[in-house]
Amino acid sequence: MTVTTDVPAGTDDLHLEQPYAYRRRELVEPDWRRLPGYRDVTAEEWASAQWQRAHCVKNVKQLRELMGDLLEDRLYADLERDQAERATMSMLMPPQMMNTIVPAGPADGQSWTEAFYADPVRRYMLPVFSDRRTDWPSHPHATRDSLHEHDMWVAEGLTHRYPTKVLAELLPTCPQYCGHCTRMDLVGNSTPVIDKLKFDLKPVDRYDAMIDYLRRSPGVRDVVVSGGDVANMPFKNLEAFVARLLDIENIRDIRLATKALMGLPQHWLQDDVRAGMERLATVARARGVHLAIHTHVNNANSVTPLVADATTAMLEAGVRDVRNQGVLMHGVNATTTDLLDLCFSLLDGAGIMPYYFYMCDMIPFSEHWRVSVDEAQKLQHGIMGYLPGFATPRIICDVPFVGKRWVHQIEEYDHERGVSYWTKNYRTGIEKTDPEALSRRYEYYDPIHTLPEAGQAWWREHGPTADHDAALDKAAASRAAASAQAATPAQV
Ligand code: SF4
């Protein structure tokens, strides 16, 4: 469909297209029986959260069993090499998410392997070695905990970065593991490249310490209850923690973070979960607290009728809103059309409010996904004016030691070297005695391959890249050798 603009008198031969043509898109649950391993799966099994969890793809062998000979060996080898040498997250894909890869089968003339390689969900959930950059696989300033959340822990797993808000990491697991996870330092199983940090305290002691801090902190009004993904917590434990938050007078906003609303909607459709959410929402409403769900959807293909059903179930249970925080990534969604398609699918189809798109953080081996601040600003410009204002997401750069900044809040920008400078208007917990905190400029770095040649030459000369990448490569190689001997499949 071509959308035409209003044509001024005398120019009626002009029919200029809009940069983006809106079309209402009906949500479709792809037919899982097109995949050999799901050929005999019944609708009842598919709807079961237990069946979904028990049939996740956790390694290349299981992917082979699912896809049969639809995929060529080169793809499996590419994936295996990535797991051994690059992956910061282990493999974990519920069938629900697997089924959104190549949802309608390959295009005419395209092989399954080509379609699988090109798929946006595959690109971030099952990254392969050939996806990654070889010139600058990691930025020289990439770090494991790129947002320095652990530096700001006021109790184990409780990050107090903003004056009025905290992030409570209740658990280090999810029903699905995303290749680009910003909490790759803590979340998921260790990979050959990354040994994960472990919580020291038992969960019950950690939660007590968090609640204790919040009771003593009347300036905090907003708690993001996250992980990991709260869908991996036994619901009674999640309910007990949220109920304790609801008892704290100063807490006015509670947001439950769960990508599983999309990745495993069957979890949120279970009777006991719906009933428990209704109990929590009823208490929240009575106390004037806003209880919301924040999810993480990166591409329109992931928005299916089951995702809409789970969202409806949560809204009917009484949560105030379901909002989406996506991550901006090349090959996944970093075009105006992809972002708007996703936002309209969320809003029209599923009743999910587009809220943020984060720039992918500076973790190791993420350069092929990351966009520059300049590109992010252009994308923000590109999506303005199509969605209702309240549903137009802000594109956010999460600047280390600063926090979330809208991409146009930049103080200064060295386009040649790809260094942007940012300031902040509050002190985090680690700056209480730092008189310079509010006047200092904090740096963020664009991917080097996006820079002009002069900027790339500067980084080749000055960046600590040779040592940095060699160290990561060496660690990867030695761990890959050790893990090949052990050959232990990933476990949730
Ligand atoms: S769901 Fe969130 S916390 Fe879990 S792996 Fe994905 S990005 Fe990380």
Side-chain angles (χ1 to χ4, degrees):
M1 184 180 83
T2 299
V3 177
T4 55
T5 54
D6 289 339
V7 181
T11 58
D12 54 1
D13 54 339
L14 272 181
H15 292 279
L16 301 179
E17 289 185 8
Q18 294 284 12
Y20 176 79
Y22 168 76
R23 263 166 302 179
R24 179 83 198 269
R25 170 179 166 265
E26 289 304 319
L27 302 189
V28 178
E29 206 71 50
D31 185 354
W32 56 83
R33 291 167 304 179
R34 77 191 182 289
L35 305 180
Y38 297 152
R39 208 151 269 160
D40 299 321
V41 175
T42 64
E44 197 178 24
E45 286 172 319
W46 196 263
S48 155
Q50 284 72 26
W51 184 89
Q52 290 277 335
R53 286 182 190 270
H55 290 83
C56 285
V57 170
K58 300 198 267 305
N59 52 50
V60 174
K61 181 169 170 282
Q62 291 175 340
L63 184 67
R64 268 186 194 273
E65 285 164 9
L66 169 63
M67 300 300 289
D69 53 12
L70 286 182
L71 301 178
E72 295 165 39
D73 280 349
R74 66 186 167 100
L75 191 142
Y76 295 120
D78 209 355
L79 185 53
E80 219 150 34
R81 184 170 180 199
D82 198 77
Q83 287 285 301
E85 300 180 30
R86 291 288 181 264
T88 55
M89 298 298 290
S90 57
M91 207 186 290
L92 187 63
M93 278 277 271
Q96 173 72 25
M97 278 199 90
M98 279 299 318
N99 193 36
T100 60
I101 296 181
V102 196
D108 284 349
Q110 194 184 32
S111 72
W112 260 97
T113 302
E114 287 162 350
F116 205 80
Y117 264 118
D119 188 89
V121 175
R122 195 286 302 162
R123 282 177 188 272
Y124 81 94
M125 292 302 293
L126 297 173
V128 292
F129 189 86
S130 64
D131 288 339
R132 316 254 185 191
R133 294 204 66 87
T134 49
D135 50 356
W136 300 94
S138 300
H139 195 282
H141 288 279
T143 53
R144 291 174 55 130
D145 177 17
S146 70
L147 303 181
H148 302 275
E149 288 178 334
H150 303 165
D151 296 342
M152 299 175 203
W153 277 2
V154 287
E156 193 179 62
L158 187 69
T159 302
H160 194 169
R161 182 153 64 134
Y162 304 96
T164 57
K165 314 186 263 188
V166 294
L167 164 76
E169 294 165 285
L170 294 193
L171 74 171
T173 67
C174 310
Q176 63 286 305
Y177 288 136
C178 316
H180 66 281
C181 179
T182 202
R183 299 208 178 101
M184 44 71 68
D185 194 29
L186 176 76
V187 169
N189 308 294
S190 291
T191 70
V193 182
I194 300 289
D195 284 327
K196 305 281 167 147
L197 188 79
K198 301 271 181 257
F199 286 128
D200 285 333
L201 297 177
K202 286 191 292 197
V204 65
D205 295 332
R206 256 185 311 115
Y207 305 158
D208 282 352
M210 290 178 184
I211 296 289
D212 179 56
Y213 178 82
L214 293 171
R215 284 187 185 135
R216 289 184 284 110
S217 306
V220 175
R221 61 170 301 286
D222 179 0
V223 182
V224 176
V225 181
S226 182
D229 186 322
V230 295
N232 258 19
M233 208 165 160
F235 192 82
K236 66 177 178 20
N237 297 358
L238 176 64
E239 184 172 3
F241 185 83
V242 174
R244 290 167 86 188
L245 291 179
L246 286 167
D247 276 342
I248 301 174
E249 188 53 40
N250 42 291
I251 304 298
R252 302 285 92 200
D253 267 295
I254 299 174
R255 325 183 222 166
L256 307 181
T258 175
K259 186 182 177 100
L261 190 81
M262 175 276 283
L264 187 66
Q266 293 85 350
H267 170 83
W268 294 101
L269 284 163
Q270 296 174 110
D271 289 345
D272 61 328
V273 173
R274 294 171 72 153
M277 286 300 293
E278 192 167 343
R279 286 192 295 274
L280 286 174
T282 303
V283 175
R285 248 199 327 274
R287 297 195 185 164
V289 177
H290 304 138
L291 177 67
I293 286 183
H294 281 207
T295 193
H296 169 192
V297 188
N298 292 332
N299 188 275
N301 288 355
S302 301
V303 187
T304 73
L306 271 165
V307 177
D309 289 350
T311 306
T312 302
M314 290 302 100
L315 293 170
E316 284 176 0
V319 303
R320 179 195 160 117
D321 210 350
V322 177
R323 309 184 184 110
N324 186 54
Q325 305 183 185
V327 176
L328 197 57
M329 283 177 280
H330 270 303
V332 177
N333 56 19
T335 68
T336 301
T337 298
D338 283 346
L339 292 180
L340 286 172
D341 281 353
L342 169 55
C343 290
F344 281 117
S345 293
L346 290 166
L347 194 60
D348 293 353
I352 298 174
M353 186 68 68
Y355 173 44
Y356 277 156
F357 284 110
Y358 290 104
M359 293 172 65
C360 181
D361 291 318
M362 286 194 295
I363 56 161
F365 301 124
S366 62
E367 293 308 273
H368 66 296
W369 283 310
R370 293 205 307 124
V371 302
S372 64
V373 171
D374 187 51
E375 289 173 273
Q377 289 177 336
K378 289 190 176 103
L379 287 168
Q380 180 75 75
H381 182 264
I383 63 174
M384 299 303 290
Y386 290 92
L387 292 146
F390 59 82
T392 302
R394 275 160 287 167
I395 297 182
I396 296 295
C397 183
D398 210 334
V399 183
F401 293 114
V402 174
K404 296 174 198 59
R405 302 279 99 173
W406 182 45
V407 286
H408 286 283
Q409 279 183 275
I410 211 160
E411 279 282 312
E412 198 186 327
Y413 196 174
D414 178 343
H415 287 262
E416 186 169 293
R417 293 180 191 169
V419 185
S420 49
Y421 299 90
W422 309 75
T423 54
K424 62 200 287 187
N425 55 328
Y426 45 76
R427 293 174 199 284
T428 62
I430 56 175
E431 291 148 352
K432 287 194 177 125
T433 57
D434 179 359
E436 309 296 324
L438 304 189
S439 52
R440 180 178 297 122
R441 299 194 318 167
Y442 298 82
E443 295 172 357
Y444 185 83
Y445 301 94
D446 287 343
I448 294 171
H449 68 271
T450 65
L451 305 180
E453 179 45 37
Q456 296 196 31
W458 187 90
W459 280 102
R460 279 195 293 273
E461 196 179 334
H462 297 93
T465 179
D467 290 348
H468 184 264
D469 288 342
L472 282 169
D473 281 346
K474 198 169 155 213
S478 72
R479 286 186 187 125
S483 89
Q485 277 183 352
T488 315
Q491 299 290 324
V492 183

